[in-house]
Amino acid sequence: MKLWLQGRGITYRSLAGQMHQSAGTISKKVNKQLMWTENDLVFLSGRFGLSADFILGLKHPRVGEGGELLD
């Protein structure tokens, strides 16, 4: 998630605003200090087309320089 966000120029603060959470909470979720919730997964899937396994770090697809998923 971290590389994907960076590649798209999406900051934790901007994602947090979209998800109605704090930037600190998003940072902890991206860095696996907190678990993503079901609502988070639904939001990220609907908004960005991301799969739950990608968000949860269970699948490690290749990410291009522009942040696009290559797999």
Side-chain angles (χ1 to χ4, degrees):
M1 276 297 292
K2 184 183 287 191
L3 291 176
W4 184 87
L5 289 168
Q6 288 173 345
R8 287 195 159 29
I10 301 172
T11 64
Y12 295 164
R13 184 178 307 269
S14 68
L15 183 60
Q18 294 176 55
M19 296 181 73
H20 306 290
Q21 299 182 29
S22 72
T25 296
I26 296 300
S27 175
K28 287 179 181 179
K29 289 178 179 184
V30 169
N31 290 298
K32 299 182 181 182
Q33 296 170 339
L34 283 177
M35 291 297 299
W36 294 100
T37 67
E38 182 177 350
N39 287 340
D40 295 336
L41 299 177
V42 170
F43 174 86
L44 292 167
S45 175
R47 177 66 59 97
F48 300 110
L50 300 175
S51 65
D53 58 346
F54 175 76
I55 297 164
L56 296 171
L58 302 175
K59 179 180 177 187
H60 300 284
R62 295 177 317 149
V63 178
E65 290 182 21
E68 71 278 7
L69 299 176
L70 300 176
D71 284 342

